[in-house]
Amino acid sequence: MVPQLADLCTVELLGADGLITPVAVVHVNPAKLPWLQQLRDLYPPQFADAYGIGQVLRTGRSASYPVILEERLLAVAPDQTYKTILQQVGFKSVLIVPLQVRDQILGALTLAWSDTDRHYAEADLHLAEEVAARAALAVDNARLYQAARAAESDLRQLNESLEQRVAARLPTLVSERVPLEMVLRNLISNALKHHHHPQTGQVTVSATEQATFVEFAITDDGPGIAPQYHDRIFQMFQTLKPRDQVEGSGMGLATVKKLVESYGGNIHVDSRAGQGATFRFTWPKTREA
């Protein structure tokens, strides 16, 4: 942009908090950069300004000042310091166009002639708006890339945290898969099948590592089992409900008990009527062939 289309080019970005931050300032005469920096430090543009950068950011419409008369500019200067800076910079013609993408105002691009007698025309404004549109797309892509990298980093940290939590908690054992899976499937399906509120009931599976065994616990918030029936439910063909009220042959828990004991473990139930049930069984951490 400098020096082909301007003596001065600045890019300001609008933050979510409404603050306007300069991200690029280029001048054909580097000696004027300190004056521009002082102007920015002492008189930063505000989002609520009725003219200039603030107006463009607030309205989303370009501002064109083809001819700037020094005497008029000095007349509206708030103090002598501002007048001195304006005289040193010497604005003669200014275009301010929004950096906009998907109806979102990202910032503003400012072009100014200060060291030459050139002035902007309507065609220059259209060109500046086209350049600003491309710049806005680049800024938006950069932000999306940063957001994607941040999300990727957050996801990686979350996965690492979950892996650490899993490793600290769900113990490691070496066993034949099918028998253990049969025990777990039977106990979980049994908890669901006999639940008095199957649509909203909850079943929790947990495991605790012991010296040579892992103790599994399958807990439900169902109707519970009265203590006098705790032994009966593990007997073949025994159910606590009539056969026309619940599916099954009455072999499930008896089979589970035989499988657990054949692997050297044991199984029992902790429950009271109306207070849910927890079936606990132990399983060896390793099984010799």
Side-chain angles (χ1 to χ4, degrees):
M1 304 295 288
V2 175
Q4 285 81 6
L5 297 177
D7 293 328
L8 167 67
C9 177
T10 70
V11 176
E12 278 86 11
L13 294 183
L14 179 63
D17 52 5
L19 294 179
I20 303 171
T21 304
V23 295
V25 179
V26 179
H27 200 286
V28 70
N29 182 1
K32 291 193 174 182
L33 289 177
W35 291 105
L36 291 168
Q37 183 62 49
Q38 188 177 9
L39 181 65
R40 154 57 76 165
D41 293 341
L42 297 178
Y43 311 97
Q46 303 295 324
F47 187 73
D49 287 345
Y51 57 88
I53 295 173
Q55 177 193 25
V56 172
L57 292 176
R58 191 177 64 258
T59 65
R61 295 192 297 269
S62 300
S64 176
Y65 309 97
V67 179
I68 298 179
L69 299 177
E70 183 177 355
E71 58 271 19
R72 291 187 179 179
L73 195 60
L74 295 177
V76 297
D79 53 44
Q80 185 56 48
T81 301
Y82 196 91
K83 291 180 181 180
T84 301
I85 295 174
L86 291 179
Q87 289 174 326
Q88 292 297 325
V89 176
F91 293 112
K92 295 179 180 177
S93 186
V94 176
L95 294 177
I96 307 174
V97 294
L99 299 175
Q100 183 172 353
V101 63
R102 297 193 304 273
D103 297 326
Q104 181 183 5
I105 305 298
L106 304 181
L109 171 70
T110 300
L111 302 176
W113 293 118
S114 61
D115 287 35
T116 64
D117 290 328
R118 299 174 63 179
H119 298 275
Y120 292 112
E122 188 72 18
D124 298 316
L125 176 60
H126 295 322
L127 178 59
E129 289 175 337
E130 177 63 25
V131 171
R134 298 190 181 192
L137 184 61
V139 171
D140 188 53
N141 287 339
R143 287 182 171 180
L144 291 175
Y145 176 75
Q146 290 177 340
R149 290 294 300 272
E152 180 182 348
S153 176
D154 291 343
L155 181 60
R156 183 166 54 250
Q157 293 178 6
L158 176 60
N159 286 337
E160 292 174 355
S161 175
L162 288 175
E163 289 175 359
Q164 293 173 358
R165 290 169 61 186
V166 169
R169 292 175 61 183
L170 287 168
T172 301
L173 56 81
V174 179
S175 176
E176 297 171 77
R177 175 177 177 176
V178 174
L180 178 58
E181 185 174 323
M182 287 181 61
V183 172
L184 290 170
R185 283 183 178 273
N186 270 278
L187 292 176
I188 294 172
S189 63
N190 192 66
L192 295 173
K193 180 170 62 177
H194 294 284
H195 203 290
H196 55 326
H197 297 299
Q199 300 301 321
T200 58
Q202 295 187 5
V203 177
T204 303
V205 180
S206 61
T208 304
E209 190 171 8
Q210 299 179 356
T212 58
F213 289 86
V214 174
E215 183 185 69
F216 291 89
I218 292 82
T219 302
D220 64 70
D221 56 356
I225 304 171
Q228 61 266 32
Y229 298 116
H230 287 186
D231 291 333
R232 176 181 165 184
I233 60 175
F234 291 105
Q235 299 175 12
M236 193 74 74
F237 305 116
Q238 294 293 314
T239 63
L240 301 184
K241 291 184 178 180
R243 298 295 168 83
D244 59 351
Q245 293 184 19
V246 63
E247 297 179 2
S249 62
M251 298 175 61
L253 288 179
T255 302
V256 166
K257 186 172 187 294
K258 291 188 64 174
L259 268 174
V260 170
E261 291 178 346
S262 71
Y263 276 75
N266 60 75
I267 183 170
H268 68 278
V269 60
D270 297 326
S271 180
R272 291 183 177 276
Q275 299 182 15
T278 297
F279 284 83
R280 304 181 188 276
F281 72 92
T282 55
W283 199 266
K285 294 172 65 174
T286 59
R287 178 178 171 86
E288 295 182 0

